[in-house]
Amino acid sequence: MLVQIEGVLTAEQVAQARLLLEQAPWVDGRVTAGHQSAQVKDNLQVPEGCPEHRTLGDMVLGALERNPLFISAVLPLRVFPPLFNRYDPGMTFGAHVDNAIRQITGTPHRIRTDVSCTLFLSDPASYDGGELIVEDAYGEQRVKLPAGDAVVYPATSLHRVAPVTRGARLASFFWVQSMVRDDGQRALLFDLDMAINRLRGDIPETHPSPVQLTSVYHNLLRRWADA
């Protein structure tokens, strides 16, 4: 299930993020790549633990906690501290699958990567190329979103970043361990949650259907969740 989420960051937060990224140091993006990914990865990354990384990470995590669509689509149990990358002209990231388990730097904690997320930070008109290309059962999904918008998709998906040919592509990327590890089950819960929300807007508040469907939602979540 691939879901696009509008307005994770406000315009003011995007501007602040870009300013911090201008001030941040950059290192070879392969520092966080697994063996296979390192063979096809060519980008730059803000080092984990530097002041800019901590400030930006807190901003993104706070925004995610306040975003109901993100919560509904992902059902997060644990979120990997957000990372930040840049693709300059000629840079790309070839086809790969994300590591199943990620160690959180500087801690003994690990997360299972059920869901991958990219949060776009550059105006799409400011660069050419750089689309996130995700392969699923319906073919290739090409994603290039306005600054502040995000996309979430199964971490099991084969995906890549098209070469940037002009400008610079700035983004945050991270992974989520979901309370519901199975993507098909998450998709069913997401569709049911969206239907319940639409129904509440279409019928009287006293109608019993939303209550009954909400009961179904939570009983399914209770059956499938690891929390």
Side-chain angles (χ1 to χ4, degrees):
M1 179 180 67
L2 185 152
V3 179
Q4 297 182 15
I5 305 172
E6 297 181 358
V8 174
L9 296 183
T10 65
E12 292 76 15
Q13 288 175 316
V14 169
Q16 182 183 358
R18 288 177 183 164
L19 180 61
L20 286 167
L21 290 174
E22 288 178 2
Q23 301 167 352
W26 293 91
V27 298
D28 191 320
R30 286 174 290 187
V31 295
T32 56
H35 174 73
Q36 182 270 330
S37 295
Q39 311 306 309
V40 293
K41 186 175 186 180
D42 180 18
N43 64 9
L44 299 172
Q45 191 167 304
V46 175
E48 294 178 76
C50 73
E52 294 84 1
H53 174 262
R54 290 194 295 269
T55 299
L56 287 165
D58 289 344
M59 178 195 299
V60 171
L61 289 174
L64 294 172
E65 290 173 357
R66 297 186 295 270
N67 192 289
L69 185 57
F70 174 80
I71 300 298
S72 179
V74 174
L75 296 170
L77 179 62
R78 299 182 182 89
V79 180
F80 192 91
L83 301 170
F84 300 86
N85 61 19
R86 187 178 87 207
Y87 290 80
D88 291 329
M91 291 184 175
T92 186
F93 197 166
H96 65 285
V97 171
D98 293 329
N99 289 352
I101 304 295
R102 303 287 308 200
Q103 181 87 30
I104 299 177
T105 303
T107 79
H109 305 298
R110 294 184 293 271
I111 76 164
R112 186 185 66 239
T113 58
D114 298 319
V115 181
S116 297
C117 182
T118 297
L119 171 60
F120 291 80
L121 297 173
S122 293
D123 181 341
S126 70
Y127 65 100
D128 293 332
E131 296 88 356
L132 173 66
I133 304 170
V134 182
E135 297 186 19
D136 63 16
Y138 301 100
E140 290 187 350
Q141 310 296 317
R142 302 178 73 90
V143 184
K144 186 176 182 179
L145 301 180
D149 290 3
V151 60
V152 296
Y153 57 96
T156 54
S157 303
L158 191 67
H159 59 282
R160 64 188 189 274
V161 176
V164 169
T165 58
R166 178 186 65 87
R169 176 196 191 268
L170 300 171
S172 175
F173 65 102
F174 52 93
W175 302 272
V176 180
Q177 180 171 332
S178 176
M179 290 184 288
V180 177
R181 75 161 69 194
D182 183 83
D183 180 60
Q185 292 172 344
R186 282 198 310 275
L188 287 172
L189 288 167
F190 177 69
D191 288 344
L192 181 56
D193 192 29
M194 294 298 100
I196 292 168
N197 289 334
R198 287 192 296 269
L199 191 61
R200 286 194 177 115
D202 293 339
I203 64 176
E205 292 184 7
T206 56
H207 198 284
S209 293
V211 175
Q212 293 170 338
L213 290 171
T214 299
S215 174
V216 172
Y217 175 91
H218 283 286
N219 285 329
L220 287 173
L221 182 59
R222 185 175 290 111
R223 178 181 292 268
W224 291 336
D226 298 317

